[in-house]
Amino acid sequence: MIDYGKEMNIVFTEEQLQQFYQYMQLLIEWNQKMNLTAIVEPKEIILKHFIDSVTILKYIDKNKTLIDIGTGAGFPGIPVKIMRTDIEVTLLDSLNKRIHFLEEVINQLRLKNIETVHARIEEYGKNHKYRESYDIATSRAVANLTTLSEYMLPMVKVGGFSICMKGAEIEEEFSKSQKAIDILGGKIQKVDTFILPKSDNKRNIILIEKRKLTPSKYPRKPGTPSKEPLYN
């Protein structure tokens, strides 16, 4: 991890390295009894999960609140929390088994100011206690950009950002997402394309600023954003 970090101008402390190692051990152990990840080789976990997750750190100012939507095995939320104790993190996932795993990781790593939420984002996003209350929403490998925007933008306060983590090919979904992002109150600020260090893995990070309140009918009921994306 240290060598990867050097290429990204990220320095890991001994405590952080130990936490990442514990996290990896728990991921491998729990993955034998439930499906958390298809990536099981330690080197692959470090690059494609841990390093990939921390690529968003430079977009996050100090003392922000962040919700990781569809966090799965905790990516990118837990690596972000390991690296940045100043950030308050909420990990949201719809599968209770994953929530149990995440709580075990949080306890074992002694992470503070991080919580888990077992919910569908379409329902959580309707709760006025949480809606438009986060500085940042992020998500990794959950849905196409149009659907993802309907999940993320309702959670972000005006002036905040959605940080969308995508793979290599985004041209088509990027062009299709423009109308939805506008309807939902967002505006694309930038797209960063890069290669993960010491690999040929191409990534895109799309930064969407929340410019205005999201209309109250979004997100729509569970399943609708993915079945009927706001293309037209």
Side-chain angles (χ1 to χ4, degrees):
M1 276 195 77
I2 295 170
D3 288 341
Y4 291 134
K6 284 178 181 175
E7 291 203 17
M8 301 166 64
N9 295 316
I10 293 175
V11 177
F12 299 99
T13 66
E14 283 300 320
E15 182 183 12
Q16 288 165 344
L17 290 171
Q18 182 59 36
Q19 287 176 312
F20 276 116
Y21 179 75
Q22 277 185 278
Y23 187 11
M24 181 169 66
Q25 294 302 112
L26 286 166
L27 182 62
I28 292 169
E29 177 189 331
W30 279 63
N31 202 55
Q32 292 173 351
K33 52 190 176 184
M34 59 183 284
N35 182 28
L36 289 167
T37 177
I39 298 168
V40 294
E41 292 298 320
K43 283 187 177 179
E44 295 278 284
I45 290 171
I46 290 168
L47 177 66
K48 295 181 179 178
H49 284 325
F50 297 167
I51 295 298
D52 188 43
S53 292
V54 301
T55 58
I56 68 170
L57 289 174
K58 63 183 178 181
Y59 308 103
I60 307 173
D61 292 336
K62 286 185 75 73
N63 303 314
K64 296 298 184 183
T65 56
L66 177 146
I67 181 168
D68 178 7
I69 294 167
T71 186
F75 306 117
I78 288 179
V80 166
K81 185 65 203 179
I82 289 172
M83 296 302 297
R84 294 279 299 277
T85 57
D86 59 291
I87 299 170
E88 286 187 33
V89 174
T90 298
L91 305 173
L92 183 142
D93 201 87
S94 61
L95 196 62
N96 208 31
K97 289 191 296 184
R98 292 196 202 110
I99 295 294
H100 290 319
F101 167 73
L102 296 170
E103 289 174 347
E104 179 71 7
V105 173
I106 289 166
N107 290 333
Q108 292 287 333
L109 274 55
R110 296 190 173 93
L111 300 174
K112 307 296 183 189
N113 293 320
I114 181 169
E115 65 172 352
T116 61
V117 174
H118 175 225
R120 293 286 299 257
I121 186 59
E122 299 98 328
E123 294 167 343
Y124 192 71
K126 289 288 192 183
N127 189 321
H128 292 288
K129 183 178 177 182
Y130 307 110
R131 179 185 178 85
E132 292 179 312
S133 67
Y134 295 91
D135 296 308
I136 294 162
T138 191
S139 192
R140 178 176 175 265
V142 167
N144 69 66
L145 190 55
T146 301
T147 301
L148 199 55
S149 297
E150 189 170 346
Y151 293 159
M152 298 170 77
L153 283 167
M155 304 312 304
V156 180
K157 60 180 72 168
V158 173
F161 287 88
S162 290
I163 303 174
C164 307
M165 307 178 71
K166 305 296 291 183
E169 305 304 323
I170 64 162
E171 287 76 12
E172 184 179 353
E173 64 176 285
F174 184 80
S175 63
K176 284 184 173 181
S177 69
Q178 307 282 332
K179 181 180 179 182
I181 290 169
D182 182 60
I183 289 170
L184 296 160
K187 183 173 179 60
I188 293 173
Q189 285 291 83
K190 67 187 301 187
V191 180
D192 278 349
T193 301
F194 59 94
I195 307 292
L196 287 179
K198 301 182 184 298
S199 77
D200 58 0
N201 294 286
K202 185 179 176 184
R203 295 287 188 269
N204 288 276
I205 291 177
I206 303 159
L207 210 61
I208 304 172
E209 183 184 2
K210 181 74 170 282
R211 293 280 187 90
K212 57 188 178 183
L213 294 174
T214 301
S216 59
K217 68 177 180 178
Y218 302 109
R220 292 166 292 168
K221 64 183 182 180
T224 305
S226 58
K227 289 176 186 170
E228 300 173 19
L230 297 170
Y231 291 149
N232 302 312

